[in-house]
Amino acid sequence: MTEQAPGSHHPQPRPRSGGPQSAPVEHVTGAQSLIRSLEEVGADTVFGIPGGTILPAYDPMMDSSKVRHVLVRHEQGAGHAATGYAQATGRVGVCMATSGPGATNLVTPIGDAHMDSVPIVAITGQVASKAIGTDAFQEADICGITMPITKHNFLVTKAEDIPRTIAEAFHIASTGRPGPVLVDIPKDVLQARTTFSWPPQIDLPGYRPVTKPHAKQIREAARLITQAERPVLYVGGGVIKAQATAELKVLAELTGAPVTTTLMALGAFPDSHHLHLGMPGMHGTVAAVTALQKADLIVALGARFDDRVTGKLDSFAPFAKIVHADIDPAEIGKNRAADVPIVGDAREVLADLVVAVQAEHDAGRAGDYTGWWEDLNRWRETYPLGYDQPTDGSLSPQQVIQRIGQLAPEDTIFAAGVGQHQMWAAHFIDYETPATWLNSGGAGTMGYAVPAAMGAKAGAGGRTVWAIDGDGCFQMTNQELATCALNNIPIKVAIINNGALGMVRQWQTLFYNQRYSNTVLHSGPDTPVQRNLGTRVPDFVKLSEAMGCVGLRCEDPADLDAVIEKANAINDRPVVVDFIVHEDAMVWPMVAAGTSNDEILAARDTRPDFGDGEDD
């Protein structure tokens, strides 16, 4: 990946390495130095909540004309907002919290960003240096806690180190394989007197990401591509983070090989392109899943062979040679041995592969995938994505999400929570460009959508941002609607309300004999409130209105388009639409957890027949 991550249109200033340039030296506090450093690295938005140990930093931030602070309602919201900001803009997202519980509330979004390789910098206050290790009030070893889920973290012990540390944190977060970096600063260090000058000297002797791929490996990959009969380009989120989508399109069209894009890579290759088979994995399209299973060559680009893609690992793609290109050498061979390992930036890898494949073509060696495409097109046409309309006249959740996508303004950004609605949003909204699809892929964090949409909208300005959320996810972080209303961040939220924890309920239907243990959200103990049959608990429309939003509800398919268009027309405040949908809708296709991708079901009790004698 490059120094800029997904879809950046505004390059973030980077500190220069080497010795400090001649610049006036200012006498400041550590806190003032922190805010000046954030200004210099180009951070324009910080999501956070003040508290005792970080309070010294909030005083000079009040005077900054370059850094906007968004006061969230929960630190988890700050972290996911920083992630959404980073995913939508390509800039480093920034969140801030106080020590102890403030810092530990950031653990989930930090872990989420780590799993999805998102560049964020989390700045936390810490108890005074002399109190560290004494179990002081609101003390937590946040560096120790987050060590496994950060790309790097810092405990700053001297005020004069603040500029260098911030510069290094932003550099580490945004270069190589992006990821979260934590900077923990004791209160006395923020209060200490120091000097400030910029740029600082960056000294990271052990940090040298490899970006240029090895020429021999590129030539070997190109040779395999032209020799293969059943190749597949398996594209992961690293291609978006490297801003390599244009190069990917050139390679795909040059070779004529089919393309699959993972959940994190939706938009890396246009959904409408004739070479695109869709998303692979547990809920991937039949064509994409089967193509990987029957391929003789898989070219993995910025993808990591995670379990949701491979299914049962020892039965995944049994006939395929593997070309695996990734910026992170630790990913190569981690889950599946690579015949041709390529370490490098996805953009440089793809650019070099285009040249090498063209050289193969010029030498008269081009792949013939005619028979392969006959199979692929048959699978694609026989088992397309689809859904059944409910027979009782209620709303289909798939149709709701599909119409939101079709009626949305151009360049709309979609953020999804986790569960059934996430998979439907992946399938039934068309993604033609990168950085228009935000979701929690690796961690699967419920509650991600609303704050991530908030962060995306804060960074993406005039673009429309829709959060596609479930009624379960929404109840985890909906307090950030108040943040949106008070900070002029007019996101739109679609609650796909089936009254249950939908994906868990689907598993209970399929694997637990329809024993719905603790997945029903709309009922509880027999109370006067529950006996009042007309009461919704909670009433999402009233809840949204109470937090300064426009609240709408849609239950009738005949009203669907009008309600969506009304939501799209309101741009001066957040809008929340409570879509009451059928509770029994399921996500298909599906590969049951722990089974082989060969066992994919196109629909319930419907196993595809691939016509090759192996799958009848």
Side-chain angles (χ1 to χ4, degrees):
M1 293 133 201
T2 55
E3 291 198 7
Q4 298 300 312
S8 174
H9 303 292
H10 306 285
Q12 186 138 348
R14 300 290 176 216
R16 294 183 293 274
S17 57
Q21 310 298 308
S22 56
V25 174
E26 301 176 46
H27 294 276
V28 295
T29 65
Q32 290 171 319
S33 178
L34 171 62
I35 303 306
R36 286 295 311 277
S37 298
L38 290 174
E39 292 175 343
E40 292 292 342
V41 294
D44 59 13
T45 307
V46 174
F47 303 92
I49 301 180
T53 61
I54 196 67
L55 201 55
Y58 272 80
D59 187 67
M61 185 152 46
M62 191 174 185
D63 299 324
S64 176
S65 60
K66 297 179 181 179
V67 177
R68 174 194 187 191
H69 183 270
V70 176
L71 176 62
V72 299
R73 296 309 186 258
H74 191 289
E75 290 88 357
Q76 182 179 353
H80 290 318
T83 292
Y85 175 98
Q87 289 176 313
T89 68
R91 298 157 65 83
V92 176
V94 186
C95 54
M96 190 176 287
T98 195
S99 61
T104 58
N105 280 343
L106 288 175
V107 169
T108 293
I110 289 172
D112 183 277
H114 185 255
M115 286 286 277
D116 288 344
S117 303
V118 181
I120 68 171
V121 170
I123 299 168
T124 53
Q126 183 55 273
V127 299
S129 300
K130 291 182 178 179
I132 292 176
T134 69
D135 291 333
F137 177 67
Q138 290 195 332
E139 180 185 1
D141 178 9
I142 196 62
C143 287
I145 291 168
T146 61
M147 188 171 289
I149 55 169
T150 50
K151 189 174 177 185
H152 192 68
N153 61 38
F154 299 87
L155 174 63
V156 182
T157 57
K158 298 177 182 177
E160 57 263 34
D161 292 340
I162 289 174
R164 176 181 56 80
T165 302
I166 294 299
E168 290 176 353
F170 275 71
H171 178 71
I172 292 170
S174 59
T175 55
R177 179 180 183 172
V181 176
L182 180 129
V183 178
D184 195 33
I185 311 176
K187 185 173 184 178
D188 58 308
V189 174
L190 289 170
Q191 293 171 323
R193 301 297 299 181
T194 185
T195 57
F196 177 83
S197 63
W198 195 271
Q201 180 176 354
I202 290 181
D203 183 25
L204 298 169
Y207 183 66
R208 295 287 185 272
V210 174
T211 59
K212 183 68 176 173
H214 196 288
K216 179 183 177 183
Q217 304 299 85
I218 292 289
R219 289 194 299 270
E220 179 63 13
R223 184 184 68 82
L224 289 179
I225 290 171
T226 55
Q227 287 181 348
E229 295 180 355
R230 302 186 306 279
V232 178
L233 301 181
Y234 159 40
V235 176
V239 169
I240 291 179
K241 292 176 173 64
Q243 296 185 42
T245 56
E247 290 80 1
L248 170 64
K249 192 167 184 281
V250 172
L251 179 67
E253 293 177 345
L254 177 65
T255 61
V259 178
T260 68
T261 49
T262 67
L263 184 66
M264 294 305 299
L266 298 183
F269 194 75
D271 276 353
S272 60
H273 200 287
H274 68 280
L275 296 176
H276 195 218
L277 299 180
M279 182 177 75
M282 173 178 275
H283 292 293
T285 67
V286 170
V289 172
T290 308
L292 289 172
Q293 283 302 98
K294 299 187 181 299
D296 63 359
L297 176 68
I298 293 175
V299 181
L301 302 160
R304 56 188 180 86
F305 292 91
D306 69 285
D307 62 295
R308 281 305 195 254
V309 166
T310 66
K312 188 178 179 183
L313 188 59
D314 60 11
S315 67
F316 174 72
F319 314 112
K321 289 186 175 180
I322 304 294
V323 174
H324 192 179
D326 203 283
I327 190 72
D328 185 355
E331 286 296 346
I332 297 175
K334 184 178 80 174
N335 293 328
R336 174 68 179 257
D339 297 280
V340 181
I342 303 174
V343 177
D345 173 88
R347 194 173 187 176
E348 297 199 36
V349 169
L350 281 161
D352 288 0
L353 269 177
V354 167
V355 173
V357 169
Q358 188 63 59
E360 289 284 312
H361 290 183
D362 292 344
R365 297 184 292 271
D368 180 4
Y369 313 141
T370 306
W372 184 220
W373 271 109
E374 289 176 358
D375 289 338
L376 296 171
N377 285 328
R378 185 174 69 253
W379 302 333
R380 186 157 59 178
E381 292 162 9
T382 306
Y383 303 104
L385 291 171
Y387 55 89
D388 295 323
Q389 291 286 0
T391 57
D392 61 0
S394 59
L395 276 175
S396 156
Q398 298 98 321
Q399 184 183 20
V400 169
I401 291 169
Q402 188 172 50
R403 292 304 289 158
I404 289 172
Q406 291 168 343
L407 295 172
E410 190 176 355
D411 291 330
T412 292
I413 296 169
F414 298 92
V418 171
Q420 288 181 316
H421 65 280
Q422 176 190 27
M423 296 297 106
W424 291 323
H427 281 318
F428 295 109
I429 295 174
D430 292 328
Y431 302 98
E432 300 295 313
T433 55
T436 53
W437 163 250
L438 319 179
N439 84 122
S440 170
T445 305
M446 292 179 68
Y448 165 92
V450 169
M454 175 175 70
K457 182 65 176 175
R463 295 172 67 184
T464 298
V465 179
W466 268 100
I468 311 293
D469 219 358
D471 49 327
C473 289
F474 180 74
Q475 292 185 75
M476 293 195 173
T477 51
N478 62 54
Q479 68 272 7
E480 300 310 335
L481 289 173
T483 308
C484 293
L486 293 172
N487 288 275
N488 191 28
I489 305 175
I491 65 171
K492 305 179 194 302
V493 181
I495 305 173
I496 309 302
N497 185 357
N498 62 1
L501 299 173
M503 187 62 86
V504 185
R505 188 179 191 277
Q506 175 168 333
W507 283 42
Q508 289 172 332
T509 300
L510 296 174
F511 310 121
Y512 292 88
N513 298 316
Q514 300 181 37
R515 289 165 54 83
Y516 300 119
S517 174
N518 288 282
T519 47
V520 178
L521 293 171
H522 59 71
S523 64
D526 185 25
T527 65
V529 169
Q530 291 299 334
R531 286 196 295 271
N532 179 359
L533 299 180
T535 300
R536 300 177 186 273
V537 181
D539 184 321
F540 291 131
V541 171
K542 291 180 179 178
L543 179 65
S544 302
E545 291 173 346
M547 288 193 279
C549 307
V550 174
L552 305 173
R553 179 172 290 119
C554 182
E555 301 181 68
D556 188 337
D559 300 332
L560 179 59
D561 283 14
V563 172
I564 295 171
E565 288 169 347
K566 183 175 181 179
N568 281 329
I570 299 170
N571 293 302
D572 61 345
R573 68 197 73 180
V575 183
V576 179
V577 188
D578 183 15
F579 291 100
I580 310 299
V581 301
H582 197 276
E583 67 177 0
D584 290 325
M586 292 195 188
V587 178
W588 301 105
M590 180 178 181
V591 179
T595 66
S596 169
N597 282 356
D598 289 326
E599 307 296 321
I600 187 171
L601 295 174
R604 191 169 185 179
D605 302 322
T606 304
R607 187 171 172 205
D609 177 358
F610 300 109
D612 56 9
E614 297 178 15
D615 307 281
D616 297 353

